[in-house]
Amino acid sequence: MSIVFEQIDSEIAPERGADAPTPDAASGGAADKPAETADAVRRELALLSERRERLRAD
């Protein structure tokens, strides 16, 4: 029996409801708002952890 994979075509969109700064804005204002930078890093780490767990489950 062969394994058939479904093709998925999609784009990666920013997190819903997040006011993610553009890369240009992020490089200049990171020192001005350390709390926002820390929150953004925490969100990204949480997403990475969730993706890792999903890959492990698959």
Side-chain angles (χ1 to χ4, degrees), residues 2-3 7 10 12-13 17-19 29 32 37-38 43-45 56:
S2 62
I3 298 174
Q7 182 175 351
S10 65
I12 298 175
D19 295 328
D32 297 338
T37 303
R43 274 196 310 271
E44 291 298 319
L45 289 173
R56 194 177 297 169

Side-chain angles (χ1 to χ4, degrees), residues 23-43:
D24 296 336
S27 63
D32 297 338
K33 302 174 185 176
E36 289 181 14
T37 303
D39 288 340
V41 169
R42 286 187 194 102
R43 274 196 310 271

Side-chain angles (χ1 to χ4, degrees), residues 5-6 15 18 25-26 30 33 37 40-41 44 49 52 54 58:
F5 293 97
E6 193 174 316
E15 183 179 341
K33 302 174 185 176
T37 303
V41 169
E44 291 298 319
S49 176
R52 182 181 64 225
R54 287 182 180 179
D58 288 345

